[in-house]
Amino acid sequence: MNLSLDGKTAIVTGAGRGGRGIGAAIALALATAGADVVITARTSIADAEAVADAVNALGRKGYALTCDVADAASVETMVKKSHELLGRVDILINNAGITKDGLLLRMDESAWDAVLDTNLKGTFLCSRAVAKIMLKQKAGRIINITSIMGQIGNPGQANYSASKAGMIGFTRTVARELGSRGITVNAVAPGFIATQMTDDMSETARAEILKKVPLARLGTPEDVGAAVTFLASDAASYITGQVLTVDGGMTV
Ligand code: NDP
């Protein structure tokens, strides 16, 4: 089985946050498998630069670029620059994502729009820009980081769950559109992953979550990085349009 990404290149969106986020773990997993990686952030560019340095320390090329995935011009500029830096773009990871939680009746339009614009429109804009390059290459991997909340829903997250469910429909459609051109499109749906957000939870809230997880632990960003690396590799070349759930069995 070939899990090597030697000679491959990748863009990971939203991989700032000081190496604690899922995007940073994905970037490092891809680099460990052999890929050169462009890491993007919207505001936390110093953190993205730290991740790029960590990629360099692994002996691969790492670059940090600023990009607002919800802004078409910003995405086009980032993808053009990435193409120049990397020479080709084999892998796109649509990881940038935000939450703005609130119960339906209290959710204002700005919270709905911000989450849909970043999570769903951002995935569309980045995929469209990179697909142009991948079509010419006649090869590529697009991997969208969705969430189990897009599959099962979660009170207080109508905007987030809708955006993540939308990403699954987008994944299936684009997989059908691009399959004949050697491009696979898949999604990874993490469950509860130990990040800053879960660090801030009370012990009681954490215990309640763990009761629902057959594997009895929170996931790690590295668990997600491993799933993404598999889907990006030659070992997954006959898999497209799928959602790989990484949730310790929470949704079985
Ligand atoms: P973080 O909040 O730690 O990181 C999110 C990243 O997205 C940051 O680097 C942020 O950059 C970037 N970002 C936000 N808005 C934009 C934008 N408009 N343009 C470009 N970049 C942007 O998130 P996580 O690591 O927790 O999550 C990563 C992904 O995994 C998300 O898609 C999330 O929905 C998904 N996920 C997370 C789970 C979890 O348990 N943490 C569970 C399931 C799914 P900046 O700081 O510069 O704004």
Side-chain angles (χ1 to χ4, degrees):
M1 183 165 66
N2 187 5
L3 291 169
S4 167
L5 298 177
D6 265 342
K8 305 277 189 198
T9 64
I11 298 173
V12 184
T13 66
R17 299 286 160 93
R20 282 286 286 127
I22 290 172
I26 292 171
L28 292 178
L30 296 176
T32 301
D36 295 337
V37 190
V38 164
I39 292 124
T40 82
R42 180 183 44 169
T43 53
S44 55
I45 190 68
D47 289 343
E49 277 161 4
V51 179
D53 288 345
V55 168
N56 289 323
L58 289 166
R60 316 315 318 182
K61 292 188 187 120
Y63 307 94
L65 296 180
T66 303
C67 174
D68 179 352
V69 297
D71 180 288
S74 176
V75 168
E76 292 293 333
T77 304
M78 179 278 286
V79 170
K80 186 167 179 285
K81 182 79 185 153
S82 299
H83 196 199
E84 284 164 15
L85 289 166
L86 298 169
R88 50 187 286 127
V89 183
D90 298 302
I91 302 158
L92 168 67
I93 314 298
N94 285 308
N95 169 76
I98 59 168
T99 53
K100 281 194 186 293
D101 296 352
L103 293 169
L104 177 64
L105 296 190
R106 292 195 199 133
M107 186 174 289
D108 59 32
E109 250 181 283
S110 64
W112 177 269
D113 289 344
V115 171
L116 269 289
D117 280 357
T118 299
N119 300 5
L120 187 53
K121 186 178 167 192
T123 297
F124 153 62
L125 291 174
C126 292
S127 301
R128 186 179 65 174
V130 169
K132 284 181 203 148
I133 297 166
M134 290 179 171
L135 282 168
K136 285 193 191 129
Q137 293 171 176
K138 296 192 170 53
R141 295 273 197 275
I142 297 174
I143 299 165
N144 301 318
I145 309 304
T146 174
S147 164
I148 57 166
M149 301 318 171
Q151 297 167 311
I152 62 173
N154 196 27
Q157 292 197 310
N159 50 0
Y160 183 76
S161 302
S163 74
K164 295 297 184 181
M167 286 172 74
I168 293 172
F170 178 85
T171 299
R172 293 191 173 131
T173 294
V174 181
R176 286 179 185 274
E177 287 187 15
L178 301 181
S180 66
R181 312 295 285 275
I183 301 166
T184 68
V185 188
N186 289 291
V188 170
F192 276 96
I193 305 300
T195 56
Q196 186 66 48
M197 184 183 77
T198 46
D199 287 353
D200 296 342
M201 273 179 183
S202 69
E203 272 309 311
T204 325
R206 183 188 294 259
E208 278 308 307
I209 289 171
L210 287 180
K211 274 191 214 158
K212 298 179 189 151
V213 182
L215 289 180
R217 67 169 175 88
L218 295 178
T220 63
E222 290 71 26
D223 290 325
V224 181
V228 169
T229 303
F230 165 66
L231 288 173
S233 75
D234 286 351
S237 62
Y238 199 56
I239 299 174
T240 196
Q242 302 304 309
V243 183
L244 178 50
T245 301
V246 181
D247 69 349
M250 192 173 163
T251 54
V252 290

